[in-house]
Amino acid sequence: MNHRLPQNHQPQRPGPGQVAYDPASGRTGVVQAVHPAAELIFDHQVTGHRVAFLRPERGGVEWTADAATLLFPTSGRGSG
C-alpha cells in the first residue's frame, strides 16, 4: 500500500479566522487575511508568494508571515 501523498498535494494551511502557529516567529495568532505578495505595496519582508497577517488571540500588534509556512497549533507547539 502506497502512503505517500501525490507530488502536487499541498498540506492544509490555516486561513482567515483560524488560529495558526508561525514557526518563523515562534508565535501563535489568528489569521486576519492572506494576500498575494505581488499585490502588497509595502516591504513585507516575506519571501513566499502569499503573505498572511496574524494578530495575537487576545489582541495586540499584528505581524506578517509567509502563509506557506503557517501550521495548525498542536500540543507543545504554539498551543499556549
Side-chain angles (χ1 to χ4, degrees):
M1 179 178 272
N2 186 354
H3 292 286
R4 293 187 309 171
L5 295 174
Q7 287 182 333
N8 62 351
H9 181 269
Q10 295 294 319
Q12 191 73 349
R13 300 291 178 189
Q18 295 180 306
V19 177
Y21 172 69
D22 173 16
S25 69
R27 297 188 288 174
T28 300
V30 178
V31 179
Q32 303 297 304
V34 178
H35 293 281
E39 290 182 0
L40 302 176
I41 59 172
F42 65 95
D43 184 10
H44 47 76
Q45 299 183 4
V46 172
T47 58
H49 296 289
R50 293 174 11 108
V51 178
F53 293 79
L54 294 99
R55 179 165 294 155
E57 289 184 81
R58 294 186 175 104
V61 177
E62 193 170 78
W63 77 94
T64 58
D66 183 342
T69 65
L70 296 180
L71 303 169
F72 286 101
T74 61
S75 182
R77 178 186 72 205
S79 60

